[in-house]
Amino acid sequence: MDALHRPLLDRSPALLAEGYAWLPNRMRESGGQVVRTRLMGRPALAVRGPDAVRFFYDERHVRRHRAIPEPVRGTLFGRGAVHTLDGDAHRVRKALFLPLLHVDRIAGVVEHVTAAWDEAVPSWAARPRVTLFDAASVVLTRGVCRWAGIPLAEEEAEPLARDLVAMVDGFATAGPRHWRARRARGRQEARLARLVQDVRSGAVTAPADSVLARVARHRHPDGEPLEPGTAAVELLNVVRPTVAVCWFVAFSAHALHRRPEHRDRLRAGDAAYAAAFAHEVRRFYPFAPFLGGRAVTDLSWHGERLPAGGLVLLDVYGQNHDEKLWGDPYVFRPQRFLERPVERDELIPQGGGEPDTNHRCPGEGITVGLLEALAVRLARLDHTVPEQDLTISLRRIPARPRSGFVIADVQAPAG
Ligand code: HEM
């Protein structure tokens, strides 16, 4: 097994021991915004700050090909995914995802997911306890499939939600979570590859402008249609991260429980405050720890050198908690987003640079839109929070409240 194929956390005992704190701790020791380290047996340079974001996203410096380890491709992204492409191949594939940035698409997903939420609440009211993380994953699965044109029978929603969550949950571990993620990916890629073939043969009709139809007719730069397996990978690259918003829903509930003073403005439907709250959830809570690319040439950053072939790591968690940018980074304070405009490359929970030309997440608008709408619904949800373990361990990647955030005594809205 070569270094690229070993599970991510096997490769660096420090990463395993420290999780999200690994690079921020090294940065603190070095006293700067750059640190030299090793990952996967390769020399690495970790960087942070808006200038470093621009350096990282410049393809003359950093490329993705052969940078993303197989255990991450085999669980989180899929083989041949847009995340792993550079140059022209990336530009052509990325075009598939750019409509996701449009406001009407964002509104469409939000409408379907909030409808699924409203349908689910009465069933939560009928149960003594509901684990919000799991319940939100099912709501998001129903909503995103309806919006994307993916057929989903009522009884298929829960197993699909479990598989989509598993793919995200298992990318950074060597244990059973990792193998669960691989099995989940195998199952869902096979199912969606068959669906793409059925759309192409006319056996299944997909609404003309749906994500399903667009993926089915997308072509490589040479004009050939995507192989069914690659089409399935890219369909999953829309559906899976949308369902992963359940991590942020659980974090939103955690924030509202710990700091109930944020409830009132959300409950009142204050749109600017809901946006600020969504950004602060994405900044404050841990999700993507860092991003990695391969140095295409010998590089130097703030006096530190890296030979070609080494890894450049963008310290996402560290930058979102950098005192120089945020002043009081470990305080959950949505107001910070109302006090000053935040620059493009300062807040990077979903990557930096431009989404249409760089690898920045094309689903950022959808994520924020969903979080705004669901934070308001959460603030308005009549429920109690029983005694439970709400610890969020920074050693577990991806992190989440240990209990999954259990709620009780949910009241269905009248009428
Ligand atoms: C890329 C995070 C939601 C689709 C990324 C990247 C991150 C990220 C860190 C990598 C950026 C880079 O490599 O430079 C997240 C988080 C989400 C989320 C934390 C919320 C839970 C979404 C949604 C969609 C989406 C809702 C689609 C509907 C994608 C795609 C890419 C991507 C297709 C690959 C872009 C490329 O390589 O050019 N996301 N994302 N993500 N995300 Fe998201």
Side-chain angles (χ1 to χ4, degrees), residues 57 64 83 90 94 97 237 241-242 287 350 359 361-363 367:
Y57 281 99
R64 303 301 172 95
H83 306 73
H90 177 250
K94 191 71 184 264
F97 298 94
N237 279 332
T242 306
F287 206 163
Q350 295 175 242
H359 282 274
C361 177
T367 307

Side-chain angles (χ1 to χ4, degrees), residues 2 51 68 161 347:
D2 67 32
D51 289 346
I68 299 173
L347 177 70

